[in-house]
Amino acid sequence: MIETSALATQIYKVLRNEIISGIFAPGDKLDINELANKYGVSRSPVKEAVNQLVHEGLIEILPRKGTYITQLRFKDCIEALDARFMVETWSASQAIKHVSDKEIDIWKQIMEKMDALLIVQPFSYESYSKLDMEFHQLLVQWARNKKVQHIYNSINPLISLARVGYNEVFENSLKRHKDHLNMFEALKNQDLSSLVDALQQHNHSLKEDLKLHWNEQLYGPIDESI
């Protein structure tokens, strides 16, 4: 049981990364036996990993059809961004009350790493994206609420999946990077209004980019009325 669970956790992490990085595309059908052979394990840990990814929304099981990488809808992604913004603004209102100088310095260090990536070519979007996610997750973590953290972590995979197939990732990352600086300055100055404004600007920019770079070949046409 323990061994199987440990294997399932490892496979979950690998498969999740392959989905988010675009190795599997939305709508791709998954075969449990093929995945088990690929990873050199039995079916059980693969099924456990797949079930966890179903719970996160990255995989869907269609009755009498099979197991597929989730086929995204534009409206779902916009709603996920709104949910993320809601969680982040609440977290900001809590974190700003007791965040320490040491914690704020962690944000500064992450920004410095992001700065360094933006001046190196070729641009590593994967590395930048991981730092970006860590930056935002820390704000939620500093709210000191495990249930809210769990909700937040369930939202992000869908947003990451929507970015598969993006073009011009360097230009988009550079454009939004100033939002991180504004968030940092607002938190350091305990200015909640400015922090929420920066989060709102960031959310608006993400929505604009999502619509501009929506990959209709992968996801189908934009239909905001669904």
Side-chain angles (χ1 to χ4, degrees):
M1 289 285 292
I2 294 174
E3 183 180 354
T4 300
S5 181
L7 280 173
T9 299
Q10 293 176 37
I11 293 165
Y12 157 77
K13 290 178 180 178
V14 172
L15 184 54
R16 186 179 188 275
N17 183 65
E18 288 181 341
I19 294 171
I20 290 176
S21 62
I23 293 175
F24 293 105
D28 280 357
K29 187 173 184 179
L30 298 178
D31 184 290
I32 301 297
N33 290 323
E34 288 181 3
L35 289 174
N37 290 332
K38 175 182 177 180
Y39 300 132
V41 297
S42 66
R43 286 170 48 91
S44 294
V46 174
K47 289 177 68 176
E48 188 176 333
V50 166
N51 287 337
Q52 191 169 349
L53 291 164
V54 169
H55 178 70
E56 286 192 6
L58 289 177
I59 290 176
E60 54 187 353
I61 298 175
L62 304 180
R64 297 183 297 279
K65 290 186 177 181
T67 304
Y68 296 84
I69 304 300
T70 298
Q71 184 67 45
L72 297 178
R73 300 185 307 174
F74 181 76
K75 186 172 183 291
D76 291 337
C77 296
I78 292 297
E79 289 180 352
L81 284 171
D82 284 337
R84 192 178 89 147
F85 173 67
M86 180 181 69
V87 172
E88 286 183 341
T89 52
W90 180 86
S91 298
S93 70
Q94 302 305 305
I96 207 164
K97 298 174 184 176
H98 46 62
V99 67
S100 67
D101 291 341
K102 184 177 180 180
E103 287 170 328
I104 293 174
D105 191 57
I106 294 173
W107 250 16
K108 183 179 180 181
Q109 292 174 33
I110 293 173
M111 282 200 311
E112 288 172 349
K113 292 178 183 178
M114 295 165 81
D115 288 339
L117 288 172
L118 288 169
I119 61 174
V120 174
Q121 295 297 330
F123 173 61
S124 175
Y125 177 68
E126 182 178 357
S127 298
Y128 183 90
S129 182
K130 287 179 179 178
L131 290 169
D132 188 354
M133 187 173 295
E134 182 182 356
F135 184 91
H136 286 266
Q137 285 175 332
L138 279 171
L139 179 63
V140 179
Q141 181 180 315
W142 293 334
R144 315 285 200 265
N145 187 309
K146 295 293 184 182
K147 296 295 184 183
V148 172
Q149 285 182 50
H150 180 72
I151 293 170
Y152 189 74
N153 291 337
S154 72
I155 296 168
N156 277 325
L158 184 64
I159 298 170
S160 297
L161 186 58
R163 294 179 182 178
V164 174
Y166 261 29
N167 295 314
E168 301 176 358
V169 289
F170 172 73
E171 289 79 4
N172 295 333
S173 301
L174 185 62
K175 177 177 64 176
R176 277 195 300 275
H177 188 55
K178 63 181 181 181
D179 296 336
H180 297 124
L181 176 60
N182 291 337
M183 292 176 210
F184 168 75
E185 292 292 342
L187 186 63
K188 184 176 69 173
N189 295 326
Q190 295 186 304
D191 184 346
L192 180 58
S193 178
S194 294
L195 180 53
V196 171
D197 285 347
L199 288 167
Q200 188 170 35
Q201 169 56 36
H202 200 68
N203 185 56
H204 178 70
S205 178
L206 282 166
K207 286 183 177 180
E208 284 188 331
D209 281 345
L210 182 65
K211 189 168 187 176
L212 183 63
H213 300 289
W214 183 256
N215 192 324
E216 293 194 358
Q217 290 184 328
L218 284 178
Y219 314 134
I222 291 175
D223 187 351
E224 300 181 59
S225 65
I226 295 175

